[in-house]
Structures are given as structure tokens and as C-alpha cells.
């Protein structure tokens, strides 16, 4: 999920900053350019942490800045297929719940939450079961598995991550605790 990686990228140093092409300046320019961006290879760049090398500057015709290739370390978020992730419900809608997993949200479709029928309760912003009286609402902690992933590098907010909570050991943390307590109670009989 989170990784520290060594990357190389080119940044433009504007003319006003050419007198001080330092690792601090290059780091700030890389942060402005890359943080929050999505890349199919490394995932989402969360933070540029350290600049290791700054190459020779290159001037391009009709461009005011000077371009430098830099090697740097970054922390990235790269969700993997079938990875089990803990997150927090950030929004509940009629068709499911959006779960915050790191810097992105994944969709936990209503059909992937429980075998029970869950009705949408608009007033309380939750999904509720009439069978077990279990509810899933905003700020609930959940454990899910990533089952689909479609990364949009141009518009990271349009990236889609599909989640499931139907397998054993997955679901709302409160439900998992209830199930564990029931198993322990029946094992002690």
C-alpha cells in the first residue's frame, strides 16, 4: 500500500530562482508538481521526502525556465488487487458506502457489504439491516479487500477502487468484534 520509492523526474526552475538551484528548491518544486498525482506505475505520490541528485540544467527554445532532472525519494500509495485494507466510511449513498483508504476513496457496493438486505436510511446517512439490526454509517471503521482498480492518471479523483467485505474476517470492525465474541462464547460452552 504505502511504499518508499526512488524516482527520477524533470522539473522546470523558473528564471527568478536560477540563482539558488538547491535540493530544498528542487524538493519544493517536485512537491508542487507531483504530490497528489496518480501514476499507473507507482500509484499516488503522497510526499517527496528527499532529493539525492540534481542533473545539469537544460534550456529549451522559447521556454523561460531551465529544466533539471532530479533523483529523489517519495512516499507513494499504491493499492494492490486483493489487498486487505482498513478504512473509514466517509459517505453513505443508496448504492453503497465510500471508504477512505489512504489518500483515495474506494466504493463498497451495497451488494458487497453483507448477505443480508441493507436498506438505505437517508435521514441517518446509513445502511441498515432489518434482520440483525446492524448498521453501517459515516465514520464507521471497516476492513475490506480491494477487488477492482482503475487508475485515471489525468484525473486522479476519477480513479475507481472497488471493495468487498463479504468474506470472513472482513466488514465493519464492530461486527467483527461481535462475531468473535459469539465464537468465543460458543467455544466456551
Amino acid at each position: 500500500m504505502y511504499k518508499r520509492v526512488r524516482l527520477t523526474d524533470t522539473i522546470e526552475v523558473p528564471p527568478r530562482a536560477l540563482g539558488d538551484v538547491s535540493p530544498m528548491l528542487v524538493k519544493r518544486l517536485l512537491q508542487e508538481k507531483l504530490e497528489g498525482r496518480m501514476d499507473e506505475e507507482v500509484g499516488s505520490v503522497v510526499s517527496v521526502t528527499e532529493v539525492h541528485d540534481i542533473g545539469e540544467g537544460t534550456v529549451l527554445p522559447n521556454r523561460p525556465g531551465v529544466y533539471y532532472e532530479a533523483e529523489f525519494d517519495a512516499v507513494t500509495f499504491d493499492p494492490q488487487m486483493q489487498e486487505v485494507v482498513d478504512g473509514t466510511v466517509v459517505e453513505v449513498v443508496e448504492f453503497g458506502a465510500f471508504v477512505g483508504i489512504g489518500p483515495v476513496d474506494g466504493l463498497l457496493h451495497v451488494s458487497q457489504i453483507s448477505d443480508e438486505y441493507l436498506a438505505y436510511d437517508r435521514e441517518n446517512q446509513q445502511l441498515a439491516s432489518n434482520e440483525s439490526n446492524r448498521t453501517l454509517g459515516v465514520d464507521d471503521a471497516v476492513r475490506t479487500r480491494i477487488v477492482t482498480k482503475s487508475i485515471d492518471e489525468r484525473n486522479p479523483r476519477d480513479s475507481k477502487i472497488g471493495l468487498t467485505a463479504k468474506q470472513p474476517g472482513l466488514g465493519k470492525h464492530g461486527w467483527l468484534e461481535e462475531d468473535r465474541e459469539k465464537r468465543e462464547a460458543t467455544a466456551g460452552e
Side-chain angles (χ1 to χ4, degrees):
M1 183 170 296
Y2 286 97
K3 297 183 219 172
R4 182 176 180 159
V5 294
R6 175 110 2 135
L7 301 172
T8 303
D9 201 356
T10 302
I11 49 110
E12 178 185 9
V13 175
R16 68 183 178 285
L18 288 173
D20 178 35
V21 181
S22 65
M24 291 275 293
L25 172 70
V26 171
K27 180 180 175 181
R28 184 177 56 79
L29 292 170
L30 286 166
Q31 287 170 331
E32 290 172 5
K33 178 181 178 183
L34 299 175
E35 288 181 2
R37 302 276 165 99
M38 199 66 107
D39 178 276
E40 188 69 45
E41 298 291 317
V42 298
S44 175
V45 176
V46 176
S47 177
V48 174
T49 58
E50 184 178 355
V51 174
H52 294 286
D53 187 42
I54 303 168
E56 293 293 316
T58 303
V59 177
L60 297 178
N62 300 319
R63 301 300 274 251
V66 177
Y67 292 82
Y68 291 87
E69 188 170 279
E71 184 178 90
F72 58 96
D73 286 340
V75 175
T76 62
F77 175 81
D78 188 18
Q80 299 297 308
M81 292 294 291
Q82 305 307 320
E83 182 176 8
V84 174
V85 294
D86 285 311
T88 303
V89 175
V90 295
E91 182 182 5
V92 176
V93 292
E94 197 167 327
F95 54 86
F98 288 95
V99 178
I101 52 169
V104 296
D105 295 344
L107 173 62
L108 182 56
H109 191 270
V110 69
S111 67
Q112 294 299 310
I113 297 172
S114 169
D115 289 328
E116 298 176 23
Y117 174 75
L118 297 173
Y120 177 57
D121 178 355
R122 184 182 312 272
E123 185 178 320
N124 295 310
Q125 280 290 293
Q126 64 184 12
L127 295 166
S129 166
N130 288 334
E131 296 172 43
S132 64
N133 291 324
R134 287 183 166 182
T135 62
L136 182 68
V138 174
D139 293 331
D140 285 345
V142 293
R143 178 165 295 144
T144 61
R145 180 183 308 280
I146 296 172
V147 291
T148 60
K149 176 175 113 167
S150 174
I151 304 300
D152 187 333
E153 293 179 23
R154 294 181 193 261
N155 299 307
R157 298 298 301 162
D158 292 340
S159 296
K160 293 173 178 44
I161 296 175
L163 306 170
T164 186
K166 283 185 101 167
Q167 285 110 11
L170 302 179
K172 181 177 168 178
H173 287 191
W175 300 347
L176 297 174
E177 183 65 23
E178 287 173 15
D179 292 346
R180 186 184 61 77
E181 288 170 2
K182 283 181 191 172
R183 281 193 309 274
E184 288 176 358
T186 56
E189 291 178 1

